[in-house]
Amino acid sequence: MKPTNLGRAILIASVIVAGGGGTWLLGTEAAAQNHSMPIFEVDASWPKVPEKWKLGDASSFAIDAQDNVWLLHRPRTLKPEQAAMAAPPVMEFDAAGNFIKAWGGAASGYDWPAREHGIHIDYKGFVWIGGNNCPTSGLAGLKPLADDALLKLTPDGKLVMQIGRSNQSKGDADTGNVHRAADAWVHPPTSEVFVADGYGNHRVIVFDADTGAFKRMWGAFGRTPAGEDNCEIISPKSFPDAEGPPHYNVAHAIRVAKDGMVYLADRENRRVQIFTNEGKFVTQLIRANATFARNLALSADPEQQFLYVGADKGITVVDRKTLDVVGTIEPPGILGPGHHIATDSKGNIYLAQTTRGVQKLVFKGTSPALGR
């Protein structure tokens, strides 16, 4: 069946063939005509934030089992004249963008992050939240403390468990605290939470999702985690070899596929590293000449065929089996590559772009391979 004219128009607007956009190492570029491609359009009406509230910097999205969409934003980034209208940091919407509820913020009994960063909804409906504040960052309105805790809460915001405590991290070897963790993902078959512990530390750390007990950890290439602990993000000025630096430089996003493969976005080193569930290094994909590995998401099909990777001005589409880079999602009006992104069961992508706001990319289907 040939694509319709509308389908072709959307395809041209949404997919840029991977080619001429930088150097790819330890992976291959593939001609888009040899691959089916996911197609997206921007939904400019999403979401419907109650008029009484304003959003701060949009940091992260998560999707629950009902396909409701959970936004984590940073109310304290609003200008002083807007502070009284700040929405609570956790906001829930349905897929159409209708507001459902909101909660969160500092309270007694647990360490709410000073600077909200990542949110995840696990298969049991629990909400996982972490932060990335650094005590010497000097950001306006924030307490001088390190976000060294990971929170597990009910869908109504009641504390279930806290792993770690603010200002308590002892570094990469510490098994009881995180250190400015960027992202988390619970793998249902093992009921383990995989944490991209990547702003202060340089590792993936795994805990029992029910008890919080430490299970295992690893750094870049599956080695012992190590590296400099800096508040300032220092990006490499060059990438002289195919492997890249020996340690993570902002382990920013993590996903665990249904088949147990673990994907870690090493943002400043512009690479995605791939591991087994136990932390054995498999391979990596690097894009040395442009920003890459800003975030991660998995496509909604049963095999999770595609890995979505925030890069440059859009979202790179990677075939998970072959690591072919088959194209870029960049429909008209896209805000950018996203700070964090998430996919729902219908295949839609939700994009949190910090100061630029939030966006829904509506999945319009998959094109046939154009060369067939």
Side-chain angles (χ1 to χ4, degrees):
M1 179 178 178
K2 295 182 179 181
T4 64
N5 290 336
L6 174 61
R8 288 185 182 276
I10 296 171
L11 177 63
I12 293 169
S14 302
V15 179
I16 297 176
V17 175
T23 301
W24 295 91
L25 304 173
L26 304 185
T28 61
E29 286 186 291
Q33 61 264 27
N34 295 326
H35 287 76
S36 296
M37 294 295 303
I39 305 167
F40 294 86
E41 288 183 321
V42 169
D43 181 351
S45 67
W46 198 97
K48 303 173 181 68
V49 178
E51 293 185 1
K52 64 180 180 179
W53 283 333
K54 289 190 177 296
L55 300 179
D57 290 359
S59 188
S60 189
F61 272 121
I63 313 297
D64 66 21
Q66 291 73 46
D67 264 355
N68 291 328
V69 185
W70 298 67
L71 168 67
L72 182 68
H73 76 107
R74 300 167 179 163
R76 284 161 287 198
T77 60
L78 287 168
K79 296 178 180 180
E81 60 269 25
Q82 297 178 325
M85 296 182 68
V90 177
M91 302 191 73
E92 181 185 3
F93 300 90
D94 66 19
N98 299 304
F99 172 73
I100 297 175
K101 64 174 180 284
W103 50 263
S108 61
Y110 58 85
D111 296 336
W112 186 265
R115 190 169 190 259
E116 296 86 355
H117 195 276
I119 185 169
H120 170 62
I121 312 296
D122 70 22
Y123 68 108
K124 296 179 180 178
F126 292 114
V127 183
W128 297 80
I129 291 174
N132 73 327
N133 193 53
C134 186
T136 60
S137 64
L139 294 173
L142 302 186
K143 295 180 180 179
L145 58 79
D147 284 328
D148 294 345
L150 181 68
L151 301 179
K152 178 182 180 180
L153 306 116
T154 69
D156 294 317
K158 295 179 180 178
L159 181 69
V160 176
M161 179 173 66
Q162 176 171 310
I163 298 172
R165 301 289 299 182
S166 295
N167 285 326
Q168 296 303 306
S169 173
K170 301 173 182 63
D172 279 304
D174 188 345
T175 60
N177 298 278
V178 296
H179 191 30
R180 304 168 59 217
D183 198 16
W185 190 267
V186 174
H187 188 46
T190 60
S191 196
E192 294 175 325
V193 57
F194 290 70
V195 183
D197 192 15
Y199 271 91
N201 286 331
H202 315 79
R203 63 185 184 176
V204 174
I205 187 167
V206 184
F207 301 97
D208 186 297
D210 299 314
T211 68
F214 168 75
K215 303 294 286 290
R216 57 194 174 279
M217 63 181 174
W218 64 86
F221 304 99
R223 300 166 186 160
T224 300
E228 296 290 329
D229 180 5
N230 295 312
C231 274
E232 181 183 1
I233 296 173
I234 302 173
S235 302
K237 295 182 179 180
S238 63
F239 297 83
D241 58 59
E243 279 199 348
H247 307 301
Y248 289 140
N249 188 351
V250 185
H252 196 249
I254 194 164
R255 292 293 184 269
V256 185
K258 294 175 184 177
D259 58 16
M261 299 303 293
V262 180
Y263 299 85
L264 188 285
D266 185 11
R267 189 181 72 183
E268 300 307 305
N269 289 333
R270 300 180 179 179
R271 64 188 177 191
V272 175
Q273 292 204 325
I274 304 169
F275 301 89
T276 68
N277 189 271
E278 293 299 317
K280 181 180 178 181
F281 177 70
V282 177
T283 190
Q284 65 178 359
L285 181 63
I286 303 178
R287 188 178 192 183
N289 292 351
T291 57
F292 184 61
R294 314 297 293 177
N295 49 58
L296 297 171
L298 293 159
S299 60
D301 56 284
E303 288 75 34
Q304 298 178 314
Q305 178 184 1
F306 297 121
L307 178 70
Y308 298 139
V309 186
D312 203 10
K313 298 178 181 179
I315 299 171
T316 297
V317 181
V318 179
D319 186 292
R320 277 209 312 130
K321 289 184 179 180
T322 65
L323 291 188
D324 286 342
V325 178
V326 300
T328 299
I329 299 164
E330 201 174 318
I334 190 172
L335 294 176
H339 178 254
H340 270 178
I341 58 176
T343 49
D344 66 15
S345 70
K346 304 295 191 300
N348 304 309
I349 298 175
Y350 298 86
L351 186 151
Q353 190 66 58
T354 56
T355 58
R356 299 192 67 187
V358 300
Q359 196 166 60
K360 178 179 181 178
L361 305 182
V362 180
F363 179 61
K364 305 300 289 187
T366 303
S367 75
L370 297 184
R372 293 177 183 174

